[in-house]
Amino acid sequence: MADRRVVVTGMGAITPIGLNAEEFWDGLISGKSGAAKITKFDPSNLKTRFACEVKGFDPLNYLDKKAVRRMDLFVQYSMVATIQALSDSGLSPEKMSEEDKDKTGVLFGSGIGGIKTFETQAIINSTQGPARISPFFIPMMIPDIASGQISIEHGFRGPNYCIVSACATANNNMIDAFILIKQRMADTIITGGAEAPITELGVGGFNASRALSTRNDSPETASRPFDSTRDGFVIGEGGAALVLEELEHARKRGAKIYAEVVGTGLSADAYHITAPHPDGKGAILSMKMALRTANISIADVDYINMHGTSTPLGDIGETKAIKELFGEHAFKMNVSSTKSMTGHLLGAAGAVEAIASILTVKNDIIPPTINFEYPDPECDLNYTFNKAVKRKVNIAMSNAFGFGGHNTSVLFKKFKE
């Protein structure tokens, strides 16, 4: 039985630097920072008073007003990114056959889910009592509800679920989508992730764990991966959706193809609940598995979109892992962290950075790592600092790691017949 190839035929993105995939890419290659003072609530009592918020988002441009009231913001991001991705792919649910809908799945994740809904209803419970809790509290909050809402909206009856693995969430969902299509359990899957964590509880919680930058005097330069003065990540929000499709299915309908998904890797650090392994052992295993499943050599990789969160330990651990696995080739590749511009979108990060990686392959342009000023001797790779670089990119890897020691890697390749 012939092996099935999986391609990307559509993309949608709601990010702090653009409200669709094209705007997002333009923001990346121009080195735009999405960070600014928090506007969603009064942050004056927090250690970190800035974030990478989505600006100018209006769900009513895409969704019914009544439906929006019953969706947490992370679901709104999920729904709109999906509508964009379907439109971009040329897939019209209204015109799809019933058989096609049976073979179209949704794997869409969120690391935190409806934290604003949780926050609001917890306050109602403590001030007005449990009788006043909204009947929509649970279905608005649970992380899997984005997958459910997307399938209900568009009538997709294929595999439908949500993997939650902290900041590796979107990658994990994408990897399962890839496997399900390869295994003939679906022909098409809408996959990705969304997050809306910029709330007092969300920011306060990450402050308590000492994970966030506190560079309040210069928010736009606070996310500075690999710089020796980095002091934590900048929290972000948004969502991204990708249409993964079996190649022959895409060919039959004349779909445009952005790139091919050729390899995936998964591993655990088995080390600490929040800190990465200091030598990047789990990251090495994940990247090595992705190369093995794609049947490509280390010398074939041209670019890595690093997890690169701008934390003191994380950036060093991932750098060590890349050097250990790739050897001399580690210094011949371009690498960068687009989190320097978007901030860290937590469970949505893998989906947003997959789009960045795919467009890097498509356009042969490396997006930069902005805000670099001071070298860190332990971070010595070719990080493509401050300005985008033109370079032929045939294969790109996208890494996403999460609290709990979850490691994921996905390989995208220029599509060739």
Side-chain angles (χ1 to χ4, degrees), residues 109-123:
S110 178
I112 291 177
I115 190 168
K116 180 61 179 176
T117 295
F118 180 89
E119 193 177 277
T120 300
Q121 296 303 313
I123 292 170

Side-chain angles (χ1 to χ4, degrees), residues 216-333:
N216 293 300
D217 59 335
S218 183
E220 67 280 357
T221 68
S223 185
R224 46 180 54 222
F226 320 116
D227 187 285
S228 64
T229 62
R230 65 193 183 276
D231 67 332
F233 73 80
V234 177
I235 197 166
E237 64 173 351
L242 298 94
V243 177
L244 299 194
E245 196 168 350
E246 191 273 325
L247 176 57
E248 290 306 318
H249 187 272
R251 276 182 176 146
K252 285 178 182 177
R253 65 182 191 86
K256 68 175 178 290
I257 294 172
Y258 282 103
E260 183 173 1
V261 186
V262 291
T264 61
L266 305 156
S267 73
D269 280 347
Y271 174 73
H272 190 272
I273 57 171
T274 56
H277 193 284
D279 295 323
K281 285 188 176 180
I284 292 170
L285 290 172
S286 175
M287 292 187 290
K288 186 182 290 186
M289 183 186 293
L291 293 169
R292 186 173 68 249
T293 58
N295 193 28
I296 65 171
S297 71
I298 57 174
D300 293 326
V301 180
D302 302 301
Y303 169 68
I304 299 179
N305 189 300
M306 294 176 65
H307 187 59
T309 56
S310 189
T311 57
L313 295 178
D315 292 1
I316 291 172
E318 189 175 6
T319 295
K320 285 182 177 179
I322 290 170
K323 290 195 290 187
E324 176 68 25
L325 178 60
F326 286 88
E328 290 184 6
H329 185 67
F331 301 93
K332 298 176 183 177
M333 300 183 292

Side-chain angles (χ1 to χ4, degrees), residues 154-205:
H154 301 292
F156 299 146
R157 294 184 292 269
N160 186 282
Y161 57 93
C162 157
I163 295 171
V164 177
S165 51
C167 303
T169 289
N171 260 18
N172 269 122
N173 284 275
M174 201 182 322
I175 289 168
D176 263 32
F178 171 75
I179 292 169
L180 291 176
I181 294 172
K182 296 280 275 187
Q183 293 294 321
R184 291 175 165 76
M185 299 177 76
D187 288 336
T188 307
I189 295 183
I190 290 79
T191 186
E195 209 77 89
I198 304 175
T199 72
E200 193 165 15
L201 192 60
V203 177

